[in-house]
Amino acid sequence: MKVAISGAGGQLGAVLRKELLRQGLDLRSGGHRLLTPLIDNEDLCAGDLQDAQVVDQLLNGVDVLIHLAGTSTEQALDKIIHNNLLGLVAVYEGARRNGVKRIVFASSNHAIGMHSVNTKLNLDCDFRPDGFYGLSKMWGEGLARMYWDKHGIESVCIRIGSCLPEPTEFRHLSTWLGHEDFFQLIGRCISTPEVGFTVVWGVSANTRSYWDTSDPGPLGYVPTQNAEDYAPAILAKANPLDPIAQQYQGGGFVTLDFSRN
Ligand code: 15L
């Protein structure tokens, strides 16, 4: 089993690359710029994923791609279209060319960020993106669905919450994805024999979670970390979000360019 990570130089990519190497996986790590090897003869590649040759270098001989590359915050629309819409098509087309069986797509809670913090969501909830970034993740989930239906390329779309070593603010009591749970979830995305098209919440077992993880689903994902363990320290501090951001699951992304009365 050969696994590749795109965006291995990013915040999540760096953490995951280190862990998968520690586990001894046969891993190829791709970044925009060439990464410094962490082990002898590490399999590395670099370049812009809009370039088909770069995509082929990343995906040649690969069974599963963990696709973390792309824009991960709210940005100008043209940048999001380039990196998250066109970039994702380039990757899925590369998967077709190279016979990649499965893509694990880093979707985001911002695809559903306009839901109220008072609503507990199931995976079949409406998309309610909180900006162009969230909209690009909704589009990405649609693209993943299409490539399974039309081309038989499997996908797991992980709607990632706040993947951090520790929760640090009030919203994270609901959205935190601890690294141990993140590694467990990625392990299941790689090793589950058949996933077809699957969507999963990328969140820990937080007491105050916005998202229902009671069904382990096809991956058998049962998170074990809980942000509530950090609640005393977090509740002793002021909530950094403005009053509107506090009402929506997407938090601070919601109030960027918000003009509703
Ligand atoms: C995301 O999708 C972002 O990539 C990350 O930077 C965080 O903002 C996270 O969501 C979150 O909602 O906390």
Side-chain angles (χ1 to χ4, degrees), residues 72-73 108-110 133 161-162 171 253:
S72 62
T73 55
S108 168
N109 72 90
H110 295 289
Y133 165 67
S162 307
R171 175 173 173 269
F253 283 53

Side-chain angles (χ1 to χ4, degrees), residues 15-228:
V15 168
L16 187 62
R17 171 186 170 214
K18 206 170 154 195
E19 171 63 16
L20 296 184
L21 288 174
R22 191 194 64 77
Q23 292 176 13
L25 245 80
D26 182 3
L27 185 71
R28 179 176 302 144
S29 295
H32 198 68
R33 292 193 200 87
L34 198 59
L35 301 158
T36 307
L38 295 177
I39 57 168
D40 287 345
N41 301 317
E42 185 177 357
D43 188 351
L44 297 170
C45 63
D48 187 342
L49 292 176
Q50 300 280 334
D51 179 341
Q53 277 188 343
V54 171
V55 175
D56 288 343
Q57 275 170 17
L58 177 69
L59 298 183
N60 177 32
V62 162
D63 300 293
V64 177
L65 169 69
I66 301 163
H67 182 58
L68 303 177
T71 296
S72 62
T73 55
E74 190 65 9
Q75 298 285 336
L77 180 58
D78 59 348
K79 187 171 175 184
I80 286 178
I81 288 174
H82 183 86
N83 292 340
N84 291 11
L85 274 60
L86 301 178
L88 195 63
V89 173
V91 161
Y92 272 87
E93 282 300 310
R96 281 178 76 186
R97 282 196 304 279
N98 289 277
V100 174
K101 293 183 190 64
R102 180 176 302 172
I103 294 182
V104 179
F105 170 58
S107 184
S108 168
N109 72 90
H110 295 289
I112 50 85
M114 295 306 298
H115 282 279
S116 161
V117 294
N118 299 318
T119 313
K120 188 138 186 171
L121 300 180
N122 292 310
L123 286 163
D124 62 357
C125 68
D126 287 342
F127 284 111
R128 292 182 73 172
D130 57 29
F132 291 124
Y133 165 67
L135 191 63
S136 78
K137 295 300 183 180
M138 168 181 159
W139 191 84
E141 290 191 21
L143 193 85
R145 170 92 253 181
M146 186 187 94
Y147 273 81
W148 168 239
D149 289 338
K150 286 191 72 169
H151 306 297
I153 295 174
E154 292 193 311
S155 285
V156 181
C157 300
I158 309 178
R159 288 187 188 155
I160 300 174
S162 307
C163 189
L164 299 164
E166 290 182 3
T168 58
E169 60 179 76
F170 185 77
R171 175 173 173 269
H172 297 162
L173 294 175
S174 305
T175 60
W176 185 54
L177 171 61
H179 285 174
E180 274 174 41
D181 283 333
F182 177 50
F183 299 151
Q184 183 213 151
L185 179 53
I186 292 290
R188 289 173 183 278
C189 289
I190 295 169
S191 65
T192 301
E194 285 176 17
V195 298
F197 171 80
T198 292
V199 183
V200 60
W201 296 116
V203 69
S204 283
N206 305 324
T207 304
R208 306 179 199 218
S209 179
Y210 300 145
W211 311 308
D212 186 351
T213 54
S214 56
D215 178 358
L219 301 173
Y221 173 58
V222 180
T224 61
Q225 296 179 278
N226 187 341
E228 208 61 23

Side-chain angles (χ1 to χ4, degrees), residues 110 113-118 130 169-171 210 239-261:
H110 295 289
M114 295 306 298
H115 282 279
S116 161
V117 294
N118 299 318
D130 57 29
E169 60 179 76
F170 185 77
R171 175 173 173 269
Y210 300 145
N239 187 337
L241 296 181
D242 64 69
I244 292 174
Q246 288 184 30
Q247 294 172 36
Y248 295 96
Q249 297 191 1
F253 283 53
V254 169
T255 33
L256 297 169
D257 196 28
F258 185 90
S259 62
R260 189 172 175 180
N261 290 320

